[in-house]
Amino acid sequence: MVTALQKFPAPATNEDQAVTNLVPHNLEQLYKLSHNLSGSALIPNALRNRPADVAVVIMTGLELGLSPMQALRLIHVWNGKPSLSADLIVALVKRSPACKYFRLLESNARLATYETLREGEPEPTRMSFTVEQAQKAGLLNKDVWRNYPEPMLRARAAAYLARIVYPDVVGGIYTEDEGEEIRRNNSPGSVHAVSATVVDEAASVEVTPAPAAEMTPTAAQDAVVEPPAAPVTTSAEAAPATKDELDAEVTAALAKVRTVTELNTLKRKFNREFPQGHPQREAMIAACKTRETELKSR
């Protein structure tokens, strides 16, 4: 823990820089910062008035290279495991010198396929996640999976591939959608222990690899991950939408907007769905501003 704190430079003497670099440099500063932030109405509800939990999230963020406020916005914890958006998991991998490339090969409503090449490995590793696998896992019972399959399939495929090939960078880190599955099944193994189909030009052979934490990139090459079947839940039992699901809904809705007038109508809808204090409100506002800039530049 102390090592993560020591990675950051001493506080800046310039006032403006000091605000920008508001990062704890020892445990006393971490305690004070966590205690002060935990009383804010602007941090996620799950962390409010829980300074110890705030400290854990900040420390996790520091180890991943995130500032305290980035960590509070982007990191959520399920059963003691940190969860991030799939986009952030991929960003952390791409930032690592171990990653030569991490790219999307195919994406549609039936499957998503990513490929990555790790420094020092002779061949890239490819992984897909399909709608059939989502069905087996009970994921299609959720509205967001039925309505927005493409971004949800991409998130699963990318997160699986990142953990298998770069366990030293994002090992043990899940997306919120995966975190919900872990909570439902009460076991991280429900996401980790998977069967794979190794694709060969001449034949297909089904194998059962070791858990992802022990699996080597070469053993996983060209693998198609199949999570185990999860209990089917009814819509009445469905859990609240996770961060990844909300991101997918916002992205899909903004993509359909063609005019600023339509965007303003959507903003009003979003303001009702993401009230002040909602953990996704800031991301929603940023996405709307980006879309507005795109529309005005046409």
Side-chain angles (χ1 to χ4, degrees):
M1 293 295 186
V2 176
T3 301
L5 292 173
Q6 291 174 341
K7 288 195 303 183
F8 290 83
T13 53
N14 179 280
E15 267 187 37
D16 293 334
Q17 291 182 346
V19 173
T20 302
N21 299 325
L22 189 58
V23 175
H25 302 280
N26 53 53
L27 292 177
E28 181 180 0
Q29 291 179 5
L30 175 65
Y31 171 79
K32 289 181 178 179
L33 180 62
S34 302
H35 182 79
N36 290 336
L37 291 177
S38 68
S40 172
L42 300 180
I43 67 171
N45 291 336
L47 296 175
R48 210 164 292 168
N49 298 316
R50 295 175 176 268
D53 292 349
V54 171
V56 170
V57 169
I58 290 175
M59 286 299 301
T60 301
L62 292 177
E63 291 178 348
L64 296 173
L66 302 176
S67 71
M69 294 311 298
Q70 286 177 319
L72 292 173
R73 287 197 305 270
L74 301 174
I75 297 177
H76 300 266
V77 178
W78 296 95
N79 288 355
K81 292 284 187 180
S83 67
L84 309 174
S85 71
D87 289 341
L88 182 55
I89 290 175
V90 172
L92 293 172
V93 165
K94 287 185 173 181
R95 189 176 64 183
S96 169
C99 178
K100 298 189 74 171
Y101 67 78
F102 195 110
R103 62 193 179 196
L104 176 66
L105 297 183
E106 184 176 2
S107 177
N108 54 51
R110 303 298 302 174
L111 82 140
T113 302
Y114 278 86
E115 181 180 87
T116 188
L117 178 60
R118 182 175 178 125
E119 186 72 39
E121 292 295 329
E123 299 290 340
T125 304
R126 183 179 301 175
M127 188 165 291
S128 297
F129 194 76
T130 69
V131 72
E132 289 80 14
Q133 292 165 326
Q135 178 68 60
K136 290 180 181 178
L139 300 174
L140 298 187
N141 295 298
K142 295 184 177 182
D143 287 342
V144 70
W145 272 91
R146 290 194 297 268
N147 297 332
Y148 311 109
E150 290 188 40
M152 300 308 294
L153 290 171
R154 288 196 299 268
R156 279 294 175 119
Y160 277 134
L161 183 58
R163 281 197 303 272
I164 288 177
V165 182
Y166 305 95
D168 52 327
V169 180
V170 292
I173 296 178
Y174 304 89
T175 66
E176 281 206 50
D177 185 58
E178 292 172 320
E180 173 58 31
E181 186 179 342
I182 290 172
R183 185 176 68 170
R184 187 177 66 221
N185 297 324
N186 197 31
S187 171
S190 63
V191 172
H192 267 302
V194 298
S195 62
T197 301
V198 178
V199 179
D200 185 274
E201 291 183 359
S204 296
V205 182
E206 291 190 358
V207 297
T208 303
E214 301 171 7
M215 189 176 182
T216 63
T218 52
Q221 184 176 346
D222 292 335
V224 178
V225 178
E226 293 187 10
V232 176
T233 57
T234 65
S235 57
E237 297 171 333
T242 65
K243 180 178 180 297
D244 278 341
E245 294 169 348
L246 291 174
D247 284 345
E249 289 181 351
V250 170
T251 300
L254 288 173
K256 297 177 181 178
V257 170
R258 293 292 178 265
T259 67
V260 174
T261 301
E262 291 179 0
L263 178 61
N264 289 334
T265 300
L266 185 61
K267 282 181 181 178
R268 289 191 288 272
K269 177 176 179 290
F270 281 163
N271 280 329
R272 293 191 298 271
E273 295 177 354
F274 300 87
Q276 192 70 33
H278 192 287
Q280 288 298 99
R281 182 177 175 82
E282 185 173 341
M284 178 273 293
I285 292 174
C288 287
K289 287 181 178 178
T290 299
R291 185 56 176 158
E292 183 174 8
T293 300
E294 293 173 351
L295 293 172
K296 289 182 177 179
S297 65
R298 291 179 176 178

